Amino acid sequence: MRIAVIGLGFVAISDALALARQHEVVLTGPLPDRVDAINAGDLPLADPGVADYVAQNTLNLRATLDFDEALKGAGMVLISTPLPKDPERHGYRTAELDSRIEMAHERCPGVPIVIRSAVPIGYTEGLRSRLNSRSILYAPEFMREGHSLQDALSPAQIVIGDRGSLGEKVAAVFLGAALNTRIPVRRIGTAEAEAVKHFSQAYLATRLAYFNDLDSYAMTHGVDARKVIEGLCLDPRIGTKANNPCFGFGGQRLARSTAHLSEAFAAVPARILPNLAKAGEARLDLLTRAVLDRGAERLGIFRPTRGGAEDETDALNALETRLRGEGVTIIEYVGEGLDEEFTRFKEDCDLVITQRMNPALADISAKVFCRDLFAA
């Protein structure tokens, strides 16, 4: 089957790589540099196993800037378009996604159009009604950035927002792309599938906020946070996954889902999810004070890159904004920590802030501020 993948982000590329073992896959998007890189075999994906996977498998994969070319003859269309938050309307900006779906619907009538973006709950059914099409469905992805190819090849679950034959067909395609065929498949309603995505993200954000709160208590009361976490995580009901404190749940994905659900809970008597943002603010208040108390005159911020792209750490950005608001002079470094600029950076800074501990900082660990308690 020929499959068109609209999008050039890590979800789209990971889906394309997984599917290209068995299908002809054409990626498309308005980013010439990424299209050229994909066609040259220099895949813009940070996953460590990408090179081995490409070397060990024959992949029928290419990219194009021409949407019409990508959609021509497609038997299935996957769409992964980022949805930015609208700060004025407190919702999602779906115009770009709308246009991509409408284009696929027009050029590929009757072909399954699978939305992979994290859309608002109710979005897919509304679009189906507006376009009078039952060929549009939602299939959430559960990929981790930095491990997205691994998650595409070995998903923990496959969730399809369609109970009919269309959903069965799409589920079979995703299952066929996986290396392990013993994967639980759930075919449910569109709104339920959309809710699964957002509530799973919100759960992860809640868990991170919990361990951050624990760490904040430990910092305030002189308790060894790591020892506490190791003790409570011996309980199998809690476990050791996602138990490492940080500055806050960063990136766009967790924050976006929690914000969406918080707004959706306006008429529901709930307390946990609507207050996650407040927990994040309280965490940043404490961290800001902890950094200022160190009394550093020259403060550095280290942002590592992964696969040539800057790491997404919105919590670090928020902390930097607060520190600048206190009049602190900040020196920034973005890179892998292997150049002369980084050597000068370490020498010039009295204190270096980073979201996660990095081996490049090992020689100045005494002047690193980082709440990464379980650094590898």
Side-chain angles (χ1 to χ4, degrees), residues 133-201:
S133 172
R134 308 309 294 177
S135 63
I136 302 168
L137 59 84
Y138 181 68
E141 51 78 22
F142 304 96
M143 300 179 194
R144 300 163 294 167
E145 190 168 2
H147 301 277
S148 56
L149 178 58
Q150 175 187 333
D151 292 338
L153 294 170
S154 301
Q157 76 273 32
I158 295 174
V159 176
I160 306 294
D162 186 277
R163 298 186 182 94
S165 59
L166 183 72
E168 185 177 2
K169 177 180 180 180
V170 172
V173 170
F174 281 120
L175 194 59
L179 298 179
N180 173 19
T181 58
R182 299 180 64 182
I183 298 167
V185 177
R186 298 289 182 269
R187 292 192 289 116
I188 56 181
T190 57
E192 287 81 7
E194 292 160 347
V196 165
K197 174 62 175 179
H198 287 296
F199 276 98
S200 66
Q201 297 274 58

Side-chain angles (χ1 to χ4, degrees), residues 212 215 219 225-226 229 243-247 283 287 354-359 368-376:
N212 283 341
D215 184 55
M219 290 174 67
R226 176 166 179 161
I229 293 172
N243 66 349
N244 196 6
C246 56
F247 292 158
R283 174 69 168 171
L287 294 173
T354 186
Q355 176 80 286
R356 291 299 182 198
M357 194 60 188
N358 189 290
V368 173
F369 181 86
C370 176
R371 298 310 301 167
D372 186 356
L373 304 183
F374 296 90

Side-chain angles (χ1 to χ4, degrees), residues 330-373:
I330 294 176
I331 306 169
E332 295 186 78
Y333 173 86
V334 179
E336 298 180 8
L338 301 174
D339 50 26
E340 293 183 4
E341 179 187 352
F342 182 65
T343 301
R344 293 192 299 270
F345 169 80
K346 291 191 292 184
E347 294 173 350
D348 291 343
C349 296
D350 300 317
L351 184 69
V352 173
I353 299 175
T354 186
Q355 176 80 286
R356 291 299 182 198
M357 194 60 188
N358 189 290
L361 297 170
D363 59 331
I364 60 164
S365 59
K367 62 175 185 178
V368 173
F369 181 86
C370 176
R371 298 310 301 167
D372 186 356
L373 304 183

Side-chain angles (χ1 to χ4, degrees), residues 6-306:
I6 300 178
L8 295 171
F10 73 88
V11 171
I13 295 173
S14 298
D15 275 341
L17 284 169
L19 293 164
R21 295 196 324 277
Q22 298 175 326
H23 304 278
E24 177 190 358
V25 180
V26 184
L27 281 153
T28 187
L31 301 173
D33 290 346
R34 289 209 168 190
V35 167
D36 291 342
I38 292 168
N39 288 332
D42 183 17
L43 294 160
L45 203 62
D47 293 38
V50 171
D52 287 343
Y53 175 77
V54 172
Q56 294 168 8
N57 293 277
T58 300
L59 304 177
N60 191 347
L61 173 66
R62 62 186 179 86
T64 177
L65 292 169
D66 189 333
F67 285 89
D68 287 333
E69 179 190 350
L71 292 169
K72 185 177 181 180
M76 184 176 292
V77 181
L78 272 58
I79 303 180
S80 300
T81 299
L83 295 179
K85 283 281 292 179
D86 187 332
E88 296 180 0
R89 297 171 55 201
H90 301 290
Y92 287 88
R93 290 176 176 168
T94 64
E96 182 179 350
L97 179 60
D98 293 345
S99 67
R100 301 288 188 256
I101 296 172
E102 290 166 4
M103 178 173 55
H105 171 70
E106 178 183 341
R107 289 165 173 74
C108 303
V111 168
I113 299 171
V114 184
I115 303 170
R116 298 285 273 167
S117 303
V119 296
I121 299 172
Y123 172 86
T124 305
E125 191 57 44
L127 199 65
R128 279 179 159 189
S129 298
R130 180 164 63 84
L131 297 178
N132 190 27
S133 172
R134 308 309 294 177
S135 63
I136 302 168
L137 59 84
Y138 181 68
E141 51 78 22
F142 304 96
M143 300 179 194
R144 300 163 294 167
E145 190 168 2
H147 301 277
S148 56
L149 178 58
Q150 175 187 333
D151 292 338
L153 294 170
S154 301
Q157 76 273 32
I158 295 174
V159 176
I160 306 294
D162 186 277
R163 298 186 182 94
S165 59
L166 183 72
E168 185 177 2
K169 177 180 180 180
V170 172
V173 170
F174 281 120
L175 194 59
L179 298 179
N180 173 19
T181 58
R182 299 180 64 182
I183 298 167
V185 177
R186 298 289 182 269
R187 292 192 289 116
I188 56 181
T190 57
E192 287 81 7
E194 292 160 347
V196 165
K197 174 62 175 179
H198 287 296
F199 276 98
S200 66
Q201 297 274 58
Y203 172 79
L204 294 174
T206 305
R207 186 175 172 102
L208 285 172
Y210 170 83
F211 283 104
N212 283 341
D213 272 2
L214 186 160
D215 184 55
S216 293
Y217 176 90
M219 290 174 67
T220 304
H221 292 84
V223 174
D224 188 330
R226 176 166 179 161
K227 296 299 183 185
V228 176
I229 293 172
E230 288 175 339
L232 68 92
C233 287
L234 290 174
D235 187 329
R237 296 171 299 176
I238 299 173
T240 59
K241 291 185 177 180
N243 66 349
N244 196 6
C246 56
F247 292 158
F249 50 88
Q252 298 179 3
R253 294 153 68 84
L254 301 191
R256 189 166 52 195
S257 286
T258 54
H260 174 57
L261 290 175
S262 295
E263 293 159 8
F265 269 103
V268 179
R271 293 292 179 269
I272 296 176
L273 295 183
N275 285 294
L276 278 177
K278 294 180 182 178
E281 292 296 313
R283 174 69 168 171
L284 287 171
D285 287 342
L286 181 142
L287 294 173
T288 300
R289 179 49 50 193
V291 172
L292 293 174
D293 287 347
R294 296 284 290 266
E297 294 184 4
R298 297 181 304 279
L299 183 63
I301 290 185
F302 174 59
R303 290 189 174 87
T305 55
R306 296 184 303 184

